[in-house]
Amino acid sequence: MDPESVINNPDIERQWAMKAFQHAEVYDNMLASRRPFSLTRLDDDIYGHFRRIFPSVRVDQLDQDELKNPEAKIVWREFCMEYEHTITDFNFATLIRPDCRHPCGPENSFIVPRIQFLALEIARAREGCYPQCFPPSSHTATPPTSAAPAVSSPSSSSASSSSAASSSVSSTATAHTP
């Protein structure tokens, strides 16, 4: 199929937009619940892989231009493709908030693939961006001190895809009781 010949169907785009907005509302509600949760059964693997590939990316304030510049897109695509067979809908368009202190809305959202959303939100949780859900004692990492996001080249190791081949992301995350 020639991508240049594909015509966007407004009804499908509207349905996608509704689905993405519903996902964003559910996620905002999970954060508002003030209870710890997991996004996938692979949170540890996704976080470790993300920080190996992107050790300097600040997750509290995302810069869309830094995440989507031509060089970053290449590295992110390689990162995302590692989850093609392990994360359901790994490349589904998902809204993310550039400023994690504010809810999703027209001025505080942009589109990323689902696995990129998962990696960034898992990092936010583990690096102290959501203390209402994840108290400091549960953090497994500290945020980078670099002010500017940076992209490093991908490593040759994969993200435990063989041991997690049957794992997938459900439509709702797992809540943990304290």
Side-chain angles (χ1 to χ4, degrees):
M1 173 186 278
D2 176 21
E4 299 298 323
S5 67
V6 175
I7 298 172
N8 292 342
N9 181 327
D11 290 332
I12 292 174
E13 288 183 6
R14 194 171 8 268
Q15 290 172 1
W16 168 85
M18 288 173 51
K19 181 85 170 168
F21 184 74
Q22 288 169 345
H23 177 269
E25 281 184 320
V26 167
Y27 190 69
D28 279 349
N29 289 337
M30 289 169 54
L31 290 172
S33 76
R34 307 178 71 80
R35 297 183 62 169
F37 57 86
S38 295
L39 293 175
T40 75
R41 292 180 289 184
L42 295 174
D43 283 9
D44 292 338
D45 294 334
I46 293 168
Y47 178 72
H49 184 209
F50 168 70
R51 279 300 175 208
R52 277 192 310 277
I53 305 301
F54 304 99
S56 304
V57 170
R58 282 191 52 196
V59 293
D60 57 340
Q61 297 276 322
L62 301 175
D63 181 345
Q64 184 173 359
D65 295 331
E66 288 291 327
L67 292 176
K68 294 187 173 195
N69 70 51
E71 179 183 300
K73 278 184 167 184
I74 292 168
V75 180
W76 272 110
R77 177 161 173 68
E78 290 175 12
F79 177 90
C80 292
M81 292 309 294
E82 296 248 354
Y83 297 93
E84 180 177 18
H85 301 292
T86 57
I87 300 292
T88 303
D89 297 329
F90 78 104
N91 62 349
F92 187 81
T94 307
L95 293 173
I96 193 160
R97 298 162 302 128
D99 186 340
C100 68
R101 299 168 298 172
H102 301 288
C104 192
E107 299 300 318
N108 192 40
S109 63
F110 61 90
I111 299 167
V112 296
R114 176 162 288 158
I115 187 60
Q116 190 174 19
F117 167 86
L118 292 170
L120 293 165
E121 288 296 329
I122 292 165
R124 285 175 165 178
R126 294 184 178 210
E127 294 175 8
C129 293
Y130 305 129
Q132 74 277 15
C133 295
F134 305 95
S137 63
S138 70
H139 297 167
T140 59
T142 56
T145 56
S146 168
V151 176
S152 67
S153 61
S155 66
S156 59
S157 65
S158 67
S160 304
S161 58
S162 60
S163 66
S166 63
S167 298
S168 65
V169 176
S170 64
S171 59
T172 59
T174 306
H176 296 286
T177 54

